Amino acid sequence: PMPGIPFLLEELQDHFHHHYQLDYETQEITVTNGATEAIMVGSLALLEKGDEVILFEPFYDSYPVAAELAGAEVKVVTLHGPDFRWDSQELEEAFSERTKLVYLNNPHNPTGRVFTSEELQELSGLVKKYDSYVLSDEVYEFLTFDGRKHIPFATLEGMKKRTLTIGSAGKTFGHTGLKVGWLAASEEVTKAVRMVHQFNVFSVNPMAQYAVAVGLKQRDTYIEEFQKLYAKKRDHLNRVLTDAGLSPLMSEGTYFTFVPLPQSALNKNWDDVTFCRHLIKEHKVATIPPSAFYRKSQEGSKYLRFCFAKTDEVLNKAGVYLKNLEQA
């Protein structure tokens, strides 16, 4: 079936109610070919030429592409390091009467931030004021650490009808490439989403959908162990990076860690791209230069993004390869 197999739609309906007391009908949930398709169809369903969208940098790189394919104008608000919070004045100045959609990624890739209730309430107030929607990319909803709880944007007062909530089996089950995502929204928005989805991929691999539905049934035994596993990997990578003379920022969620460039690199006037190339060539460690996720600010050039969704063997090898980093 184009919207998703009934077994999975019913499990997703239960998923939203069980975890967040969010009540969606199955006709308000669409199974997509991964979260990336959900981002695309949500954008194409809502946006048209003349609309404006707001996105926070650093951003997941498909957001601006989806918006611009729909003909919308992108306005960027910077999450300022080292704590990666927005400036309230900068945020409000980005809104206008043409603002149709805000892209929100929480927990946030690539910084590892988990936004607070106060931050989300501030954003929701502006969304109401300017009569906008939020595309809330919540694929890391269960990857939060140190007792933090994910707050779905749709649970805020008045936001359910204004929110397109996106989830991902690939992230929830640590199986990137599974390509089963979902989008939950009001029936009116879902109708538009499904019209785009129908002529984009039409339907999603049914065998994978059955597997995801079975996986969701095991959530109460699975999720706690999932979080413990990745918290352990985060701490493992942090030890490796600290031993190498780096100063990793503490990831609050996702499986990414942001790391400021070391003073030795800054003394050479190296940016993130230069330092990433150095790590690959001289230390056999590959990481991502975050400046690729910025449009407005140069802040990304001062950081690296590491991923700790690796085996212990790989993390240990990184420690060996980075051992002489300070002397490099």
Side-chain angles (χ1 to χ4, degrees):
M2 182 267 289
I5 62 169
F7 181 25
L8 179 54
L9 292 175
E10 289 163 7
E11 285 302 318
L12 288 168
Q13 182 183 34
D14 190 51
H15 159 86
F16 280 109
H17 178 78
H18 178 81
H19 291 289
Y20 310 121
Q21 292 72 57
L22 276 170
D23 291 319
Y24 287 102
E25 300 299 327
T26 54
Q27 62 263 31
E28 296 176 312
I29 305 170
T30 305
V31 178
T32 59
N33 189 32
T36 302
E37 195 228 338
I39 293 164
M40 184 64 72
V41 297
S43 301
L44 293 174
L46 280 183
L47 299 172
E48 58 189 4
K49 190 173 182 179
D51 289 336
E52 292 178 353
V53 305
I54 293 173
L55 58 85
F56 296 100
E57 66 175 8
F59 46 73
Y60 180 58
D61 49 11
S62 80
Y63 300 155
V65 174
E68 288 166 349
L69 278 172
E73 179 184 346
V74 173
K75 301 181 85 171
V76 177
V77 174
T78 304
L79 299 174
H80 298 285
D83 54 356
F84 299 101
R85 296 177 182 272
W86 61 68
D87 176 83
S88 295
Q89 182 177 344
E90 182 184 355
L91 177 59
E92 179 146 24
E93 287 175 352
F95 276 85
S96 78
E97 298 304 319
R98 292 168 55 200
T99 302
K100 186 69 168 288
L101 186 63
V102 180
Y103 292 92
L104 175 69
N105 181 206
N106 183 38
H108 185 258
N109 168 18
T111 66
R113 267 300 311 281
V114 176
F115 294 107
T116 64
S117 174
E118 292 75 19
E119 288 172 304
L120 298 177
Q121 291 287 356
E122 179 184 3
L123 178 60
S124 74
L126 291 168
V127 168
K128 290 177 191 173
K129 180 177 178 180
Y130 289 92
D131 192 21
S132 307
Y133 291 89
V134 172
L135 189 148
S136 191
D137 180 351
E138 302 178 10
V139 297
Y140 297 102
E141 60 186 313
F142 296 120
L143 267 185
T144 57
F145 308 125
D146 307 320
R148 291 179 181 84
K149 297 295 184 185
H150 170 61
I151 303 172
F153 201 77
T155 61
L156 303 181
E157 184 179 355
M159 287 299 106
K160 186 168 178 276
K161 65 181 180 181
R162 296 182 178 274
T163 303
L164 291 72
T165 301
I166 291 174
S168 164
K171 299 300 187 293
T172 295
F173 296 107
H175 200 315
T176 298
L178 190 60
K179 303 311 293 179
V180 177
W182 50 85
L183 189 155
S186 69
E187 191 167 355
E188 180 184 20
V189 170
T190 296
K191 181 179 179 182
V193 164
R194 289 181 175 184
M195 289 172 71
V196 181
H197 172 71
Q198 177 177 359
F199 294 105
N200 186 19
V201 301
F202 187 80
S203 62
V204 175
N205 178 343
M207 289 72 76
Q209 290 188 64
Y210 279 107
V212 172
V214 171
L216 288 172
K217 279 186 174 295
Q218 302 173 41
R219 61 187 168 224
D220 291 332
T221 55
Y222 169 77
I223 290 168
E224 185 178 352
E225 293 305 313
F226 180 63
Q227 290 176 320
K228 286 179 180 177
L229 172 68
Y230 281 92
K232 184 178 176 182
K233 290 182 181 295
R234 175 199 65 174
D235 296 343
H236 189 163
L237 177 63
N238 281 358
R239 287 193 297 272
V240 164
L241 297 175
T242 302
D243 289 345
L246 298 172
S247 302
L249 304 177
M250 186 59 74
S251 176
E252 299 174 349
T254 76
Y255 40 63
F256 301 110
T257 293
F258 244 39
V259 182
L261 291 187
Q263 191 59 48
S264 59
L266 297 175
N267 290 342
K268 298 174 184 176
N269 292 319
W270 284 3
D271 61 9
D272 58 330
V273 175
T274 305
F275 194 65
C276 284
R277 286 177 172 155
H278 170 76
L279 287 179
I280 292 169
K281 291 178 180 178
E282 303 299 329
H283 297 277
K284 303 180 183 178
V285 173
T287 184
I288 295 291
S291 56
F293 310 130
Y294 286 77
R295 280 197 177 188
K296 181 178 178 183
S297 147
Q298 298 301 312
E299 286 195 30
S301 64
K302 301 183 291 187
Y303 294 95
L304 306 172
R305 188 195 76 170
F306 284 85
C307 176
F308 50 85
K310 308 291 179 184
T311 64
D312 288 348
E313 180 186 10
V314 169
L315 295 174
N316 287 330
K317 276 188 178 179
V320 172
Y321 293 153
L322 293 172
K323 179 165 63 173
N324 299 316
L325 181 62
E326 274 195 324
Q327 288 75 44

